[in-house]
Amino acid sequence: MSDLATLHSWPTLEKPVLVVNLDGWIDAGQAAGTAMTTLRELVDPRLVATFDGDELLDHRARRPVLRIEHGVDRELRWPEIRLEAGTTAGGRAVLLLSGPEPDMRWHRFTGEVVSLASRLGVRMVVGLGAFPAPVPHTRPVRLAATSTDASLAGQIGVVPAVIEVPAGAQGVLEHAFGQAGVPAVGLWARVPHYAAALPYPAGAAALLDRLGPLVDVEVDTASLHAAAAVTAKHIDQLIAGSDDHAALVRQLELSHDEEEGLAGTQFGDLPSGDEIAAELERFLRGER
């Protein structure tokens, strides 16, 4: 154990799964964060370890929160990366790694997490994320996977393309666990561009609905699906006021439905990503 992590307890776990969600990287519609919060409520975790914020975080970018009551300082809350352990009602052991994505010392942080997970007997690692995509809110949320294991990624579905993108800390951890021989997969919800700046519970529900059977965890997502239905109606009302926006959604629906019947993604004559982003940002600013 290095001086980067502080142990608070050492649980005895039976073949735990590690679920990772670090703030600060892509999380369209707050889908991954909402999924993690729901999972935490399910397993009622206890603290296992915390990681040194002074070593990992830029506190000018991630400032502590000071609670002031009538001029009196009552509480100072520092951003914290936490490793927690819990068990579902069915007895499934779950480890949760959450908090802000490190601003520095990623090599040390990654090595520490992999070492702790190895000592705790982790058998699989799942990262949660969500990205804005040219998809309609009127269709079920689909996931895309990343993994060092092609067969594992194929169980979820992938974006059939060769791309190079900036990596988040979750991606670095995923790669490191793969090299260490531990199956690791990232679950990414595709959230409509025009809903990416709003809470999108359908994305969180989709992540948990797929996480459950993947790692043998029962998660009740009924409340998320109910919230998703309300959100969809609200978006319908916003879009109904603009023929251009309604036409865009119809085009996205057509592309989605065509893709469902094809082996690979076919975007056809959809607008470019920049065009979609610019149009939908204007939509959100004007209609939210």
Side-chain angles (χ1 to χ4, degrees):
M1 180 64 59
S2 75
D3 57 359
L4 196 61
T6 299
L7 284 179
H8 299 269
S9 65
W10 192 257
T12 300
L13 304 172
E14 180 69 23
K15 299 179 180 179
V17 58
L18 171 62
V19 181
V20 182
N21 173 236
L22 298 173
D23 303 335
W25 190 224
I26 303 171
D27 187 12
Q30 303 170 27
T34 300
M36 191 66 156
T37 298
T38 302
L39 189 59
R40 175 176 286 106
E41 293 171 351
L42 171 70
V43 302
D44 189 22
R46 58 192 179 280
L47 186 61
V48 175
T50 53
F51 295 83
D52 191 342
D54 283 345
E55 290 290 320
L56 296 172
L57 304 178
D58 177 359
H59 289 304
R60 290 184 298 176
R62 304 173 186 273
R63 296 181 182 274
V65 175
L66 178 63
R67 180 181 180 86
I68 304 171
E69 297 181 1
H70 307 292
V72 179
D73 298 346
R74 293 298 188 187
E75 182 184 11
L76 184 64
R77 300 193 303 274
W78 292 88
E80 188 175 57
I81 305 171
R82 300 165 61 92
L83 179 66
E84 300 169 292
T87 305
T88 68
R92 187 69 165 97
V94 179
L95 286 164
L96 306 176
L97 180 65
S98 63
E101 181 183 59
D103 295 304
M104 58 199 78
R105 297 177 179 83
W106 282 22
H107 288 288
R108 287 184 59 197
F109 173 72
T110 301
E112 192 68 56
V113 172
V114 172
S115 175
L116 276 171
S118 176
R119 293 172 57 194
L120 287 164
V122 167
R123 298 301 179 91
M124 176 177 280
V125 179
V126 181
L128 302 178
F131 63 92
V135 294
H137 72 285
T138 53
R139 298 293 188 269
V141 174
R142 289 180 298 173
L143 304 184
T146 57
S147 178
T148 56
D149 184 331
S151 63
L152 184 56
Q155 293 179 32
I156 312 301
V158 300
V159 175
V162 178
I163 56 177
E164 292 188 359
V165 297
Q170 289 185 202
V172 174
L173 285 168
E174 180 183 303
H175 187 72
F177 275 109
Q179 289 186 320
V182 179
V185 61
L187 303 183
W188 292 88
R190 308 184 196 195
V191 173
H193 280 80
Y194 48 92
L198 304 171
Y200 198 70
L207 288 169
L208 292 175
D209 285 341
R210 191 63 187 87
L211 175 70
L214 181 65
V215 300
D216 191 25
V217 171
E218 293 184 9
V219 184
D220 183 359
T221 57
S223 61
L224 288 174
H225 283 290
V230 173
T231 299
K233 289 181 180 179
H234 180 59
I235 295 175
D236 285 340
Q237 293 171 353
L238 295 176
I239 290 175
S242 168
D243 292 340
D244 290 340
H245 296 142
L248 175 61
V249 171
R250 286 195 297 271
Q251 188 175 15
L252 293 173
E253 289 174 336
L254 178 62
S255 177
H256 176 281
D257 294 345
E258 289 178 346
E259 182 182 341
E260 284 289 278
L262 297 175
T265 303
Q266 301 291 325
F267 292 111
D269 59 353
L270 277 174
S272 71
D274 288 343
E275 291 171 334
I276 293 174
E279 172 65 16
L280 296 174
E281 284 174 5
R282 288 194 293 271
F283 167 61
L284 286 170
R285 286 197 300 268
E287 299 290 342
R288 178 160 45 180

